[in-house]
Amino acid sequence: MTFSIKGLKIVEKYDSIKFRFNNWRILNMAQLWGGRFTKETDQLVYDFNASISFDKRLFAQDIEGSIAHVVMLEKQGILTCEEKDAIVKGLTSIRSDVEEGKLNISHEYEDIHSFVEANLIDRIGDAGKKLHTGRSRNDQVALDMKLYVRNEVVAVTEELTALLESLLAVMENNLNTYMPGFTHLQKAQPTTLSHHMGAYFEMFKRDVLRMQDVYKRMNYCPLGSGAFAGTTYPLDRAYSASLLGFEGPTLNSMDSVADRDYVIEFLSALSMVMMHLSRFSEEVIIWNSNEYRFVEIDDAFSTGSSIMPQKKNPDIAELVRGKTGRVYGALVSILTTMKGIPLAYNKDMQEDKEVTFDAIDTVKDCLHLFNGMLKTMKFNTNIMETSAMRGFTNATDAADYLVNRGVPFRDAHGIIGQLVLYCIDKGKAIDELSIEELQAISPVFENDVYEAISLKTCVEKRLTIGAPGQKVMEEVIKMNKEFLNSLGQM
Ligand code: ARG
């Protein structure tokens, strides 16, 4: 016979005693709150409300938080030493059984907290029922999510650091690889590959600093806040906070259970990472095109076309660019979810998890794959250099040449403008004109102009901090190396 209790389908032949037994068992195992209810939960309501299909990700954090909680309860004399030991042993065995695949996190439980508590009671009996003393699922889930996000802040930082290391290697090896720099996607002035990669280094460095900042601000422990008003038990919140590696306890129990600012800050920092990766991807796609050929993406990071045999597509870069949308989506989703929630906990907040988990997975994958693509990408340095020689990237330097010989800048600008027109007409670069042709436009030009507007000079003379000149780039690389060395500890 099939019937359902509190949303659970049970297939069982039963007599009244067995029914009562089942009823008791299910109320205690699958739901933590059946006592006040006289009607069973509608199956759809049960499913709609349940979060175990996604919050099972918080399993390790739930166990970790529960262990800290009971260790503190015992220290405060709220649990006996035997009770604490039994609970810790039970929780540890649940953890290892799940890790070893002996225990499945089954979806018949409402959420991960219910799963752990029910299993504990199943294993150790009455002592297990004391685990939740002085705790609510509100501070419990706030803690679990915080522990999870805190770990992921570190994991993302590690991926960012690996990318920074790859970038620094390209920078060090390409101090004299000349290429055009662009504005409006038009060749503007010459620079080096080292300098161009250095721009991305700065972006991802700021991303690392943002992660550190998120970590520092979020690192306060909500455990012990109860449903929202603390508890009447003499909890030592500072002690549980220290057991879990927090700076200290949060200072307002209402805020503690209602706060998801750290999720939003993290998603905002992740969105920024994706914005940087997306810009970089866009450049890789352009540089990899037949028209540019500045880079060649390794076969392992490209895909083919089902119809056009000649194609080698930059799909990874395109996907990274495309996935930026879903990470921004996660940020906007939680900002919107949180904006209308009155204090303190409301079930809306359960919506923080799926999009956050998805955003974290996406960003870690993107960072990892992008780094792999960067490390295996071939830079066609000759093509870059030839491109820098065409397109009048030295026009500013030609104007500066005249300025250094007494021509006012605005006049020099006009003269070089005429020169460029002339070059376009002749299909030549400025430094391909004869001295007679140059002097016909301005008598100020002399033979030393060729040296003054060579690619090498144009780049090497740019020596203010932050510019592409080799000497100053070497200084910047040294500073960035020190930054990477300083990272180790967070
Ligand atoms: N699944 C819930 C969440 O993710 C856990 C907290 C439930 N608390 C409550 N009062 N219903 O937010």
Side-chain angles (χ1 to χ4, degrees), residues 61-108:
Q61 288 72 25
D62 202 69
I63 301 265
E64 189 188 353
S66 290
I67 291 177
H69 182 62
V70 292
V71 169
M72 180 277 295
L73 289 179
E74 191 260 344
K75 181 179 96 64
Q76 297 303 96
I78 302 164
L79 291 184
T80 67
C81 187
E82 294 70 44
E83 287 166 337
K84 182 254 312 176
D85 287 344
I87 296 176
V88 171
K89 202 163 152 238
L91 289 170
T92 315
S93 72
I94 295 173
R95 176 161 58 199
S96 48
D97 283 359
V98 167
E99 280 167 6
E100 288 160 25
K102 290 185 203 151
L103 175 65
N104 225 341
I105 302 182
S106 133
H107 286 196
E108 69 199 298

Coordinates of all heavy atoms in Angstrom, one line a residue, residues 61-108:
Q61 N 30.8 21.6 5.6 CA 30.7 22.8 6.5 C 29.7 22.6 7.6 O 29.9 23.1 8.7 CB 30.2 24.0 5.6 CG 31.3 24.6 4.7 CD 31.5 23.7 3.5 OE1 30.7 23.0 3.1 NE2 32.7 23.8 2.9
D62 N 28.6 21.9 7.3 CA 27.6 21.6 8.3 C 28.2 20.8 9.4 O 27.9 21.1 10.6 CB 26.4 20.9 7.7 CG 25.1 21.1 8.5 OD1 24.6 22.2 8.6 OD2 24.7 20.1 9.1
I63 N 29.0 19.8 9.1 CA 29.6 18.9 10.1 C 30.6 19.7 10.9 O 30.6 19.7 12.1 CB 30.3 17.7 9.4 CG1 29.3 16.9 8.6 CG2 31.1 16.9 10.4 CD1 28.7 15.7 9.3
E64 N 31.4 20.5 10.1 CA 32.5 21.3 10.8 C 31.9 22.3 11.8 O 32.3 22.4 13.0 CB 33.2 22.1 9.7 CG 34.5 22.8 10.1 CD 35.0 23.7 9.0 OE1 34.5 23.6 7.8 OE2 36.0 24.5 9.3
G65 N 30.8 22.9 11.4 CA 30.1 23.9 12.3 C 29.5 23.2 13.5 O 29.6 23.7 14.6
S66 N 28.9 22.0 13.2 CA 28.3 21.3 14.3 C 29.3 20.8 15.4 O 29.0 20.9 16.6 CB 27.5 20.1 13.8 OG 26.4 20.6 13.1
I67 N 30.4 20.4 14.9 CA 31.5 19.9 15.8 C 31.9 21.1 16.7 O 32.0 21.0 17.9 CB 32.7 19.3 15.1 CG1 32.2 18.0 14.4 CG2 33.9 19.1 16.0 CD1 33.3 17.2 13.6
A68 N 32.2 22.2 16.1 CA 32.6 23.4 16.8 C 31.5 23.8 17.9 O 31.8 24.1 19.0 CB 32.9 24.6 15.9
H69 N 30.2 23.7 17.5 CA 29.1 24.0 18.3 C 29.1 23.1 19.6 O 29.0 23.6 20.7 CB 27.8 23.9 17.6 CG 26.6 24.3 18.4 ND1 26.4 25.6 18.9 CD2 25.5 23.6 18.7 CE1 25.3 25.7 19.5 NE2 24.7 24.5 19.4
V70 N 29.2 21.8 19.4 CA 29.1 20.9 20.6 C 30.4 21.0 21.4 O 30.3 20.9 22.7 CB 28.8 19.5 20.2 CG1 27.5 19.3 19.6 CG2 29.9 18.9 19.3
V71 N 31.5 21.3 20.8 CA 32.8 21.4 21.6 C 32.6 22.6 22.6 O 32.9 22.6 23.8 CB 34.0 21.6 20.7 CG1 35.2 22.0 21.5 CG2 34.3 20.3 20.0
M72 N 32.0 23.7 22.0 CA 31.7 24.9 22.8 C 30.6 24.6 23.9 O 30.8 25.0 25.1 CB 31.3 26.0 21.9 CG 31.0 27.3 22.6 SD 29.3 27.4 23.2 CE 28.3 27.3 21.7
L73 N 29.6 23.8 23.5 CA 28.5 23.5 24.5 C 29.1 22.8 25.7 O 28.7 23.0 26.8 CB 27.4 22.7 23.8 CG 26.5 23.4 22.8 CD1 25.5 22.4 22.2 CD2 25.8 24.6 23.4
E74 N 30.0 21.9 25.4 CA 30.6 21.1 26.5 C 31.5 22.0 27.4 O 31.4 21.9 28.6 CB 31.4 19.9 25.9 CG 31.9 18.9 26.9 CD 33.3 19.1 27.4 OE1 34.1 19.8 26.7 OE2 33.7 18.5 28.4
K75 N 32.3 22.8 26.7 CA 33.1 23.7 27.5 C 32.3 24.6 28.5 O 32.7 24.9 29.6 CB 34.0 24.6 26.6 CG 34.9 25.6 27.3 CD 35.7 26.5 26.4 CE 35.1 27.8 26.1 NZ 35.0 28.8 27.2
Q76 N 31.1 24.9 28.0 CA 30.2 25.8 28.8 C 29.4 25.0 29.8 O 28.5 25.5 30.5 CB 29.3 26.6 27.9 CG 30.1 27.5 27.0 CD 30.9 28.5 27.7 OE1 32.1 28.3 27.9 NE2 30.3 29.6 28.2
G77 N 29.6 23.7 29.8 CA 28.8 22.8 30.8 C 27.4 22.6 30.3 O 26.6 22.1 31.1
I78 N 27.1 22.8 29.1 CA 25.7 22.6 28.6 C 25.5 21.2 28.2 O 24.5 20.6 28.3 CB 25.4 23.6 27.5 CG1 25.6 25.1 28.0 CG2 24.0 23.4 26.9 CD1 25.6 26.2 26.9
L79 N 26.6 20.6 27.7 CA 26.6 19.1 27.4 C 27.7 18.5 28.3 O 28.7 19.1 28.6 CB 27.0 18.9 25.9 CG 26.0 19.3 24.8 CD1 26.6 18.8 23.5 CD2 24.7 18.7 25.0
T80 N 27.5 17.2 28.6 CA 28.6 16.5 29.3 C 29.6 16.1 28.3 O 29.4 16.1 27.1 CB 28.0 15.2 29.9 OG1 27.6 14.3 28.9 CG2 26.8 15.5 30.8
C81 N 30.8 15.7 28.9 CA 31.9 15.3 28.1 C 31.5 14.1 27.2 O 31.9 14.0 26.0 CB 33.1 15.0 29.0 SG 34.6 14.7 28.0
E82 N 30.8 13.2 27.8 CA 30.4 11.9 27.1 C 29.5 12.3 25.9 O 29.6 11.7 24.9 CB 29.6 11.0 28.1 CG 30.5 10.4 29.2 CD 30.8 11.4 30.3 OE1 29.9 12.2 30.7 OE2 32.0 11.5 30.7
E83 N 28.5 13.2 26.2 CA 27.6 13.6 25.1 C 28.4 14.2 24.0 O 28.1 13.9 22.8 CB 26.5 14.6 25.7 CG 25.5 13.9 26.6 CD 24.7 14.9 27.4 OE1 25.1 16.0 27.6 OE2 23.6 14.5 27.8
K84 N 29.3 15.1 24.3 CA 30.0 15.8 23.3 C 30.8 14.8 22.5 O 30.8 14.8 21.3 CB 31.0 16.8 23.9 CG 31.8 17.6 23.0 CD 33.3 17.3 22.9 CE 34.1 17.1 24.1 NZ 35.5 16.7 24.0
D85 N 31.5 13.8 23.2 CA 32.3 12.8 22.5 C 31.5 12.0 21.6 O 31.9 11.7 20.5 CB 33.0 11.9 23.5 CG 34.2 12.6 24.2 OD1 34.6 13.7 23.7 OD2 34.7 12.2 25.2
A86 N 30.3 11.6 22.1 CA 29.4 10.7 21.3 C 29.0 11.5 20.0 O 29.0 11.0 18.9 CB 28.2 10.3 22.1
I87 N 28.6 12.8 20.2 CA 28.2 13.6 19.0 C 29.3 13.8 18.0 O 29.2 13.6 16.8 CB 27.6 14.9 19.5 CG1 26.3 14.7 20.3 CG2 27.3 15.8 18.3 CD1 25.8 16.0 20.9
V88 N 30.5 14.1 18.5 CA 31.6 14.4 17.6 C 32.0 13.1 16.9 O 32.2 13.1 15.7 CB 32.9 14.9 18.4 CG1 34.1 14.9 17.5 CG2 32.6 16.3 19.0
K89 N 31.9 11.9 17.6 CA 32.2 10.7 17.0 C 31.2 10.3 15.9 O 31.5 9.9 14.8 CB 32.2 9.6 18.0 CG 33.0 8.3 17.6 CD 33.4 7.5 18.8 CE 33.5 6.0 18.4 NZ 32.6 5.1 19.0
G90 N 29.9 10.6 16.2 CA 28.8 10.3 15.3 C 29.0 11.2 14.0 O 28.9 10.7 12.9
L91 N 29.3 12.5 14.3 CA 29.4 13.4 13.1 C 30.6 13.0 12.2 O 30.5 13.1 11.0 CB 29.6 14.9 13.6 CG 28.3 15.5 14.3 CD1 28.7 16.8 14.9 CD2 27.2 15.7 13.2
T92 N 31.7 12.6 12.9 CA 32.9 12.3 12.1 C 32.6 11.0 11.3 O 33.1 10.9 10.2 CB 34.0 12.0 13.1 OG1 34.1 13.1 14.1 CG2 35.4 12.0 12.4
S93 N 31.8 10.1 11.9 CA 31.6 8.9 11.1 C 30.6 9.1 10.0 O 30.7 8.6 8.9 CB 31.0 7.8 12.0 OG 29.7 8.1 12.4
I94 N 29.7 10.1 10.2 CA 28.8 10.5 9.0 C 29.6 11.1 7.9 O 29.5 10.7 6.7 CB 27.7 11.5 9.5 CG1 26.8 10.8 10.5 CG2 26.9 12.0 8.3 CD1 25.8 11.8 11.1
R95 N 30.6 11.9 8.3 CA 31.4 12.6 7.3 C 32.2 11.5 6.5 O 32.3 11.5 5.3 CB 32.4 13.6 8.0 CG 33.4 14.2 7.0 CD 34.0 15.5 7.5 NE 34.7 15.2 8.7 CZ 35.1 16.2 9.6 NH1 34.7 17.4 9.3 NH2 35.7 15.9 10.7
S96 N 32.9 10.6 7.3 CA 33.7 9.6 6.5 C 32.8 8.7 5.7 O 33.2 8.3 4.6 CB 34.7 8.9 7.4 OG 34.0 8.4 8.6
D97 N 31.6 8.3 6.2 CA 30.8 7.4 5.4 C 30.4 8.1 4.1 O 30.3 7.5 3.0 CB 29.5 7.0 6.2 CG 29.9 5.9 7.2 OD1 31.0 5.5 7.3 OD2 28.9 5.5 8.0
V98 N 30.0 9.4 4.2 CA 29.6 10.1 2.9 C 30.9 10.2 2.0 O 30.8 10.0 0.8 CB 29.0 11.5 3.3 CG1 28.9 12.4 2.0 CG2 27.7 11.3 3.9
E99 N 32.0 10.6 2.6 CA 33.2 10.7 1.8 C 33.6 9.4 1.1 O 34.1 9.4 -0.1 CB 34.4 11.3 2.6 CG 34.3 12.8 2.8 CD 35.3 13.3 3.9 OE1 36.1 12.5 4.4 OE2 35.2 14.5 4.2
E100 N 33.4 8.3 1.8 CA 33.8 7.0 1.2 C 32.7 6.4 0.4 O 32.8 5.3 -0.1 CB 34.2 6.1 2.4 CG 35.5 6.4 3.0 CD 35.6 5.8 4.4 OE1 35.0 4.7 4.7 OE2 36.4 6.4 5.2
G101 N 31.6 7.1 0.2 CA 30.5 6.6 -0.6 C 29.6 5.6 0.1 O 28.8 4.9 -0.6
K102 N 29.8 5.4 1.4 CA 29.0 4.4 2.1 C 27.6 4.9 2.4 O 26.7 4.2 2.7 CB 29.7 3.9 3.4 CG 30.9 3.1 3.1 CD 31.5 2.6 4.5 CE 33.0 2.3 4.4 NZ 33.6 2.5 5.7
L103 N 27.5 6.2 2.5 CA 26.2 6.9 2.9 C 25.9 7.9 1.8 O 26.7 8.7 1.4 CB 26.4 7.5 4.2 CG 25.2 8.3 4.7 CD1 23.9 7.5 5.0 CD2 25.5 9.1 6.0
N104 N 24.7 7.8 1.3 CA 24.2 8.7 0.2 C 23.5 9.9 0.9 O 22.7 9.7 1.8 CB 23.2 7.9 -0.6 CG 23.5 8.2 -2.1 OD1 24.2 9.1 -2.4 ND2 23.0 7.3 -2.9
I105 N 23.7 11.1 0.4 CA 22.9 12.2 0.9 C 21.6 12.1 0.1 O 21.5 12.6 -1.0 CB 23.6 13.5 0.7 CG1 25.0 13.5 1.4 CG2 22.7 14.7 1.2 CD1 25.7 14.8 1.3
S106 N 20.6 11.5 0.8 CA 19.4 11.2 0.1 C 18.4 12.4 0.1 O 18.3 13.2 1.1 CB 18.7 10.0 0.8 OG 17.4 10.2 1.0
H107 N 17.7 12.6 -1.0 CA 16.9 13.7 -1.2 C 15.5 13.7 -0.4 O 14.7 14.6 -0.5 CB 16.6 13.9 -2.7 CG 17.8 14.5 -3.4 ND1 17.7 15.0 -4.7 CD2 19.1 14.5 -3.0 CE1 18.9 15.4 -5.0 NE2 19.8 15.1 -4.1
E108 N 15.3 12.6 0.4 CA 14.1 12.6 1.1 C 14.1 13.6 2.3 O 13.1 13.8 3.0 CB 13.8 11.2 1.6 CG 14.7 10.7 2.7 CD 14.7 9.2 2.8 OE1 13.6 8.7 3.1 OE2 15.7 8.5 2.5

